[in-house]
Amino acid sequence: WRRGAEAATSESAHLKWIPVGYDAKAAVETLEEACKSSDAVVITVPYANGTKEYSIMDQAINRCISSGKPLFTTNTDTYHNEKVYAYVGSSNYHMGTQCAKSILFPDDPDVITNRKEAPEISTIPNSTVNYRVYWDASDMKNEGISQRLQGLEKVFSDYNINLEIFLPTGNADCPCATKYPAGVSVEEGVGLRVDIKGSTYQYPPRYGMDACSQHDRQLEPDCNSASPPDFCEKGWCYVDSDNCDAERFQPESIGNYNWTDFRGKELEYSYETCGSNNSYLNWFDGSAGSDDNIEEGLSANNTITIVLSSNWAGKFVPNVFICGDEAFQMRGISQYGQSPFLQGLSAVSAATVAAVSLEKDIPWEANKGNAGATSSSEMHSVHMINPKMTDPLSRYGRAVVNILTLFEVNRGVTWDVWHDAEFESDWIMQFPPLEYIGSPSANLPVPETCKDVTNCDNDFRLFECSNEQPCARKKFCRNSFVHGDNFNDTDVPVYREFLTGELKCKDEDTEEYFEAGLCREVASTRTSEESEAKNLCVGHSFELYDRMYNHIIQAEHFVDITSLDSFDLIGTNTQRKFLKDGMQFAAMVRNALTYLASTGREITIKCHFGSIPGIEISEMFDKGSVQVNNNEQTEHILEEITKGLDQYPDQKLTVWVGTYRYNLSNWNHGKIIAIDGKKLITGGTNYYSQHYLQEDPVHDVSMQISGGPAITAHKFAEALWRTSCEWWGLAPSHIDTTWREPDGTIRGMTQITSELPDGGIIGLDFCPPAYSNAVADGILEEPTQANRWEKTGISVIPAARLGNLGGSIEKGSHTSDLAMIALMEEAQTSIKFSQQDMLPVILESAALWSVGHGGDHLNSGVTRTAFEDNWRIIGGVAKAMSRNVDAYMMVSAPCAWGADDPHYMQSQFQYNCNHDKTISDTKTTEKGVGFDFWHSVYTNGTGFWGAITSATDYVSGIDIGYDRWPVAKDIYKERAHIKNGETRASHFMDGNRRLQGESKNELELLSYGYGWSIENIADWISAYYMI
């Protein structure tokens, strides 16, 4: 309202804004002063006719009008005076009736806007839902809200629908106490004295009495701090337990608030009667507490809460309806009401024109008086959340839905709620398996790899085995690396071709052997329903790819596979140079597709991968000879995984392979194998044999699940595939698509573009069939709206993120980030992370300065986007810890890079890891020290954070050395560091925040995100508190 008023006077008038709340005496004094000093006045009269407050304000208004000043009333239509210029606002009673229609008929705007009659009661959707109204004590005297409630009640009564009222005086079955018990006498205008923790405090008059309110807000000793406990913001009141329905309400007497002068006579108190949960009791006894058993509190089942002001909506999200004011910053919440901005704009604009007209003697050509609305500006935005969606969820699930609803994140692609999920007993896919965790790497069964030799399965690059032909033990040279295959005697990393000679250990190394490979029947060696599985010498985690195989071959119609890279990197130049550690994932997928071809089923299979800007090792493996030319090549991937299809001439598979990279920093990282909208494998596991199946394996976790979450996975994959329907221009971006039709015809972007004279491809159709189209065509089935929310299994909320592909928060750019924040905000006792790292990827800023991110300045090796995303999570951890929630973090060790040697430069944009303690031209730090980012921030210039103290030094780039923490930006004060009104990620990723003047030698510490030490993680949390 105020911003609208300010907009109305920005060029033509001066606005003085004086809030007085519900203090009629202060309002009269302010009005009398305004009439003396202003050219026009806009005022709100919230009181009911006949009250003392209404009378004294009416007298003051008439005196002001008599002085000749134009006076407008606004906001509340319960004041009537034929001498005022106009009333600007809506009819509150009418608004209440329209709110009721919006709730009962959310899909029929003609009914909501009175263009047609409302239907009969039998046609009302959600007629089995419970409805209640919440009205806070802070607006107890507001007659406009009272009339709004009357309008609501009238329509609900007409349809014989019960509307439970949470009035400011508490629930009717346990009302707030209005008088002290016998023997307690308190003078009017004087409050109780209260003993708390051994000290006595004078509390306000009528503390805890009469109405639901935040009675403890800002009061000593616990609620006047910068970060008060949750109970300080909760509504409650004293109650007489004899007046409470014992089956529905159980008032409490536990606590340390004792009435100093009347010990033993204290009334019991209730949060539940006010629609809150008793967080005070949880805080008092130090327990985590739970609100899951509160039927009348915030978690009431199958209930929609109607609030008469947006101020109260947050506590009831998502099953809430705002009646009365358009909540512009809460557009994801269903609402009907007047726009406060437009109301302020209209009222003050009218007052300004009236003042000018009076000055210039221009007639006011409108009837005066405020019997009707001059400007209503009403709007409705109705997308009701069915309570059946959220009722089965835990407090943590509801917290996730709440935050995603508040930020208006579209449900369906990056998140959804399902109540039909099924899990097998082995649904957690942990590899290496649990029995190996905690053992030395040398104790792992590690398979020997092979190629073109006797008893070698060339597809899997593993030896066949039997009782007569057991598995051999793989040799290694015990040194600091355990990667004997990758080194020659000068420690230069080389990847030799297979079988070029026996591994020779250096004199100072010890020649040792891993545990022998396991001779096991491998299901993924089958290529048809009739074929038999082979016995191969496998390693510790072979069940990983076997489970994926058994998952894929269940497909009847549709398969989506996505990942960071292609199977065993078969689409890159690098992997075709040296296939040294087997091809189990590539062989598994090839055999799964061949198996499906043998069934004769008509199936669409789509494989989509990121295209990382990697490197290609030169033919001579010269040290440091690298080039950026390692894009995923979809034609080669398709060739590799469809080699077995030609043996089935009548097969009906259509296989698509796509890849994308946007600029140098955006590509897919989601791992999905979704089958027919029914079955799903998802998690952290990449398809790398070297990293997961050999020595020194990555520890990763995925899950296998059946039910609705598979549908969400398909829709997420569909969003990724849209990249193949667009063109982003030249390098460094990259997209590619190739597909094979059932008759064996290969088509692709390359073939299509080569036919065009100008090489253009815009408008050409190389988009694969979408999952949603298969549903629309009746090939696949989804739950109907009628049974969408039936509880038939386990409740699951899948959450993903599209990053720059989403383009905005609403479209899914940060969905999983918000979900994690919600979980951390709701945490009661502990948060446990198992992560690659908690901190950003460290990049060589010199290399990215002129190439990446559109010329944005990247400082201290941390990009702008990476900083923001990680800072948000660090903030969630820090805030949770401030509530005495314990945080546990398991991260990868410094210098870990999958199963690769830390010497080996994965990208020219990433730092080499300093593996030793030598000092050379480019290595100046010891292993494990970590990247001391915050030391640099603290010592070298908070000016880049916006706290510039010397413009000259800032412009010249001289390092001043501030030795102090940056000032917190306003964005950090917002929930999850994202303002409710923000829509595009770029809006809240402010660039001037990191240092720029560091030297390369000082920055070159440890590689990848793993370059941070454990101490560095503590530094970031500490920095969050400091800032």
Side-chain angles (χ1 to χ4, degrees):
W1 202 105
R2 180 175 181 173
R3 284 194 286 272
E6 290 170 342
T9 57
S10 59
E11 298 293 336
S12 58
H14 172 70
L15 174 71
K16 189 171 185 180
W17 172 276
I18 308 174
V20 294
Y22 293 105
D23 187 336
K25 182 179 178 182
V28 168
E29 294 173 352
T30 302
L31 177 58
E32 290 177 343
E33 176 61 30
C35 273
K36 296 176 184 178
S37 60
S38 302
D39 296 306
V41 177
V42 180
I43 190 169
T44 291
V45 184
Y47 307 108
N49 195 354
T51 63
K52 178 181 177 181
E53 292 90 342
Y54 184 101
S55 178
I56 64 173
M57 287 197 70
D58 180 55
Q59 294 171 23
I61 287 172
N62 282 318
R63 288 194 297 271
C64 185
I65 292 173
S66 298
S67 70
K69 295 295 171 67
L71 189 144
F72 292 76
T73 58
T74 186
N75 195 31
T76 306
D77 62 330
T78 53
Y79 175 72
H80 303 292
N81 188 324
E82 297 305 315
K83 297 177 184 178
V84 302
Y85 265 57
Y87 163 71
V88 180
S90 298
S91 164
N92 279 281
Y93 182 88
H94 170 76
M95 188 180 295
T97 64
Q98 299 309 101
C99 288
K101 292 179 181 179
S102 299
I103 295 165
L104 298 178
F105 309 104
D107 300 323
D108 197 333
D110 287 335
V111 171
I112 298 172
T113 55
N114 295 324
R115 285 193 290 266
K116 73 177 185 181
E117 292 292 325
E120 300 295 329
I121 187 171
S122 60
T123 63
I124 295 179
N126 294 338
S127 57
T128 60
V129 173
N130 300 317
Y131 299 93
R132 65 181 181 184
V133 177
Y134 181 82
W135 182 11
D136 193 86
S138 60
D139 279 325
M140 193 172 181
K141 295 182 178 181
N142 193 316
E143 178 63 14
I145 288 182
S146 178
Q147 292 195 12
R148 200 179 306 159
L149 175 60
Q150 293 174 33
L152 269 168
E153 289 182 303
K154 174 63 168 61
V155 175
F156 274 82
S157 175
D158 289 345
Y159 283 93
N160 298 319
I161 298 176
N162 181 56
L163 185 63
E164 185 174 13
I165 311 298
F166 271 78
L167 287 169
T169 52
N171 191 283
D173 288 332
C174 191
C176 298
T178 58
K179 60 181 181 180
Y180 292 108
V184 177
S185 58
V186 181
E187 295 181 23
E188 185 176 355
V190 178
L192 289 164
R193 293 198 305 154
V194 181
D195 288 343
I196 305 173
K197 301 177 183 178
S199 299
T200 300
Y201 301 90
Q202 182 69 53
Y203 268 19
R206 308 296 291 174
Y207 168 77
M209 302 295 289
D210 304 322
C212 295
S213 189
Q214 299 167 334
H215 291 289
D216 293 304
R217 190 174 188 181
Q218 298 299 322
L219 292 183
E220 297 181 280
D222 299 305
C223 295
N224 61 337
S225 63
S227 299
D230 287 346
F231 79 85
C232 301
E233 304 296 321
K234 299 289 187 180
W236 67 277
C237 65
Y238 285 124
V239 298
D240 184 344
S241 57
D242 292 338
N243 292 333
C244 293
D245 184 336
E247 293 185 2
R248 299 180 64 191
F249 297 94
Q250 294 81 42
E252 290 286 354
S253 59
I254 300 174
N256 56 10
Y257 282 44
N258 300 305
W259 296 355
T260 307
D261 303 310
F262 308 101
R263 281 186 171 269
K265 297 183 180 295
E266 293 88 355
L267 286 168
E268 294 180 309
Y269 63 89
S270 175
Y271 284 81
E272 286 76 12
T273 192
C274 298
S276 302
N277 56 69
N278 191 352
S279 55
Y280 167 72
L281 185 60
N282 299 333
W283 173 82
F284 173 72
D285 64 17
S287 66
S290 174
D291 62 358
D292 289 344
N293 63 343
I294 299 174
E295 294 182 357
E296 300 301 324
L298 306 187
S299 59
N301 290 332
N302 203 32
T303 299
I304 291 176
T305 300
I306 305 164
V307 294
L308 301 178
S309 170
S310 59
N311 293 336
W312 316 321
K315 63 178 71 177
F316 298 105
V317 170
N319 297 332
V320 65
F321 184 95
I322 302 170
C323 175
D325 54 295
E326 173 203 40
F328 176 74
Q329 301 292 354
M330 303 175 74
R331 297 188 298 277
I333 306 300
S334 293
Q335 52 191 276
Y336 183 98
Q338 168 139 340
S339 162
F341 178 88
L342 291 178
Q343 191 181 101
L345 180 70
S346 299
V348 175
S349 294
T352 302
V353 172
V356 172
S357 298
L358 197 62
E359 179 185 16
K360 296 185 177 182
D361 199 25
I362 300 174
W364 184 259
E365 298 189 23
N367 292 327
K368 294 184 179 180
N370 59 359
T374 299
S375 172
S376 62
S377 306
E378 292 179 11
M379 58 76 65
H380 70 276
S381 173
V382 184
H383 30 84
M384 303 292 291
I385 291 181
N386 192 319
K388 290 183 179 180
M389 182 179 86
T390 55
D391 284 346
L393 299 177
S394 69
R395 64 186 301 159
Y396 306 100
R398 287 194 295 272
V400 171
V401 174
N402 290 354
I403 196 169
L404 297 179
T405 301
L406 282 173
F407 283 99
E408 306 176 70
V409 182
N410 298 333
R411 181 173 58 83
V413 175
T414 57
W415 78 281
D416 213 323
V417 179
W418 299 96
H419 301 306
D420 65 344
E422 297 179 5
F423 296 87
E424 301 294 335
S425 59
D426 59 349
W427 66 278
I428 295 179
M429 299 172 61
Q430 173 179 335
F431 292 96
L434 185 61
E435 61 263 31
Y436 297 116
I437 305 303
S439 298
S441 180
N443 290 0
L444 286 172
V446 177
E448 282 269 34
T449 55
C450 60
K451 182 182 180 183
D452 297 332
V453 296
T454 303
N455 297 322
C456 178
D457 184 298
N458 277 331
D459 285 339
F460 283 80
R461 306 290 170 88
L462 297 174
F463 285 102
E464 297 180 9
C465 62
S466 64
N467 291 335
E468 294 75 27
Q469 192 174 30
C471 300
R473 300 179 68 185
K474 184 175 182 178
K475 182 193 297 185
F476 70 93
C477 303
R478 179 173 290 283
N479 54 36
S480 57
F481 307 114
V482 195
H483 276 277
D485 271 356
N486 301 343
F487 298 92
N488 60 18
D489 57 3
T490 61
D491 265 3
V492 175
V494 295
Y495 289 78
R496 301 185 304 192
E497 297 290 350
F498 281 100
L499 306 174
T500 56
E502 182 181 357
L503 174 65
K504 300 291 186 181
C505 295
K506 295 185 294 183
D507 293 340
E508 61 268 28
D509 293 337
T510 304
E511 185 177 286
E512 297 188 22
Y513 293 85
F514 292 104
E515 290 295 318
L518 308 171
C519 186
R520 294 290 187 269
E521 182 179 276
V522 179
S524 49
T525 57
R526 298 176 62 203
T527 57
S528 69
E529 293 178 296
E530 296 75 24
S531 61
E532 296 184 358
K534 296 180 181 180
N535 289 338
L536 299 180
C537 289
V538 297
H540 45 82
S541 296
F542 81 98
E543 289 181 342
L544 173 56
Y545 55 83
D546 250 14
R547 288 186 63 173
M548 292 178 176
Y549 170 87
N550 288 326
H551 179 73
I552 295 170
I553 64 174
Q554 297 179 64
E556 298 285 342
H557 303 288
F558 210 90
V559 179
D560 266 310
I561 302 175
T562 73
S563 190
L564 172 65
D565 284 308
S566 57
F567 315 106
D568 289 312
L569 294 170
I570 56 176
T572 65
N573 292 331
T574 298
Q575 181 64 359
R576 295 205 301 278
K577 290 274 178 62
F578 40 86
L579 306 176
K580 66 184 184 61
D581 267 334
M583 292 280 286
Q584 288 89 66
F585 286 104
M588 173 273 294
V589 173
R590 182 187 308 117
N591 287 350
L593 268 56
T594 306
Y595 180 101
L596 290 174
S598 75
T599 66
R601 303 171 197 159
E602 187 173 346
I603 304 175
T604 297
I605 299 156
K606 302 192 302 180
C607 304
H608 199 278
F609 309 104
S611 188
I612 303 176
I615 63 170
E616 178 182 355
I617 309 300
S618 72
E619 290 287 352
M620 300 302 295
F621 302 106
D622 292 334
K623 185 176 181 180
S625 177
V626 298
Q627 57 180 328
V628 179
N629 182 24
N630 204 32
N631 294 330
E632 292 278 2
Q633 299 175 36
T634 58
E635 185 175 1
H636 185 73
I637 300 170
L638 184 69
E639 176 188 350
E640 287 288 331
I641 64 176
T642 60
K643 283 181 177 178
L645 302 191
D646 289 337
Q647 61 186 288
Y648 300 104
D650 297 326
Q651 62 90 23
K652 300 177 181 179
L653 302 189
T654 303
V655 185
W656 290 74
V657 178
T659 185
Y660 88 93
R661 177 181 68 250
Y662 181 69
N663 212 321
L664 282 175
S665 59
N666 295 275
W667 52 81
N668 173 50
H669 207 291
K671 291 87 173 180
I672 288 170
I673 306 178
I675 309 295
D676 293 332
K678 298 178 180 179
K679 298 179 182 295
L680 172 66
I681 290 178
T682 187
T685 306
N686 294 302
Y687 308 135
Y688 305 149
S689 295
Q690 178 192 354
H691 286 194
Y692 287 88
L693 308 178
Q694 292 289 317
E695 63 265 27
D696 199 17
V698 170
H699 180 200
D700 224 326
V701 178
S702 293
M703 67 172 67
Q704 192 165 15
I705 182 173
S706 299
I711 294 176
T712 308
H714 280 298
K715 292 180 178 179
F716 180 78
E718 187 175 317
L720 296 179
W721 270 101
R722 292 193 192 111
T723 59
S724 298
C725 308
E726 302 173 3
W727 179 243
W728 294 328
L730 302 175
S733 297
H734 174 241
I735 58 172
D736 191 15
T737 301
T738 308
W739 67 97
R740 173 183 167 129
E741 296 178 353
D743 62 4
T745 303
I746 304 295
R747 299 188 183 278
M749 189 178 298
T750 304
Q751 284 78 11
I752 291 177
T753 56
S754 64
E755 299 171 3
L756 299 178
D758 58 357
I761 64 172
I762 295 177
L764 292 179
D765 185 8
F766 37 82
C767 303
Y771 166 83
S772 55
N773 291 343
V775 174
D777 294 340
I779 299 172
L780 298 173
E781 294 183 357
E782 285 190 2
T784 64
Q785 287 301 316
N787 61 14
R788 177 66 171 84
W789 307 117
E790 293 300 321
K791 177 73 170 171
T792 59
I794 297 170
S795 298
V796 172
I797 305 176
R801 75 194 306 272
L802 284 170
N804 281 11
L805 286 187
S808 68
I809 296 169
E810 295 95 330
K811 295 180 180 179
S813 63
H814 286 74
T815 305
S816 55
D817 301 44
L818 292 171
M820 285 191 285
I821 289 292
L823 293 175
M824 287 190 279
E825 288 182 351
E826 194 64 24
Q828 304 294 301
T829 58
S830 67
I831 302 173
K832 298 184 178 182
F833 292 91
S834 174
Q835 293 264 128
Q836 183 168 285
D837 205 312
M838 295 295 297
L839 302 178
V841 174
I842 306 170
L843 299 173
E844 188 171 352
S845 54
L848 280 174
W849 186 275
S850 60
V851 179
H853 296 271
D856 290 333
H857 290 181
L858 310 177
N859 311 291
S860 298
V862 179
T863 69
R864 181 175 69 181
T865 300
F867 177 87
E868 293 288 358
D869 289 348
N870 284 266
W871 192 238
R872 195 175 303 119
I873 300 301
I874 290 296
V877 175
K879 291 174 182 177
M881 291 171 62
S882 71
R883 304 194 309 271
N884 294 320
V885 173
D886 295 330
Y888 301 81
M889 305 174 199
M890 173 63 75
V891 298
S892 294
C895 297
W897 180 281
D900 290 337
D901 166 47
H903 288 71
Y904 177 51
M905 183 184 288
Q906 289 284 323
S907 163
Q908 76 174 71
F909 305 122
Q910 291 156 344
Y911 296 117
N912 280 344
C913 177
N914 295 321
H915 63 92
D916 58 18
K917 298 182 180 181
T918 62
I919 294 182
S920 64
D921 293 339
T922 58
K923 304 290 194 301
T924 59
T925 59
E926 295 183 351
K927 176 183 178 181
V929 171
F931 190 0
D932 198 349
F933 175 83
W934 288 105
H935 173 76
S936 300
V937 171
Y938 181 80
T939 57
N940 292 333
T942 56
F944 292 100
W945 286 63
I948 300 171
T949 58
S950 171
T952 302
D953 289 331
Y954 176 70
V955 173
S956 64
I958 297 174
D959 184 0
I960 303 170
Y962 290 99
D963 284 336
R964 60 187 173 87
W965 291 104
V967 176
K969 288 185 174 292
D970 288 340
I971 195 71
Y972 302 152
K973 302 170 187 176
E974 300 289 338
R975 186 176 188 182
H977 305 169
I978 304 174
K979 294 181 180 179
N980 286 343
E982 295 287 4
T983 56
R984 291 190 62 83
S986 60
H987 288 179
F988 59 84
M989 291 181 177
D990 190 338
N992 289 333
R993 139 153 334 136
R994 282 156 300 286
L995 302 178
Q996 298 179 7
E998 300 295 327
S999 71
K1000 178 178 178 180
N1001 286 356
E1002 292 171 348
L1003 294 178
E1004 194 158 305
L1005 299 175
L1006 300 172
S1007 85
Y1008 195 56
Y1010 302 114
W1012 308 95
S1013 67
I1014 291 176
E1015 289 80 4
N1016 293 152
I1017 299 174
D1019 289 344
W1020 278 63
I1021 296 172
S1022 177
Y1024 191 92
Y1025 287 131
M1026 296 300 178
I1027 294 170

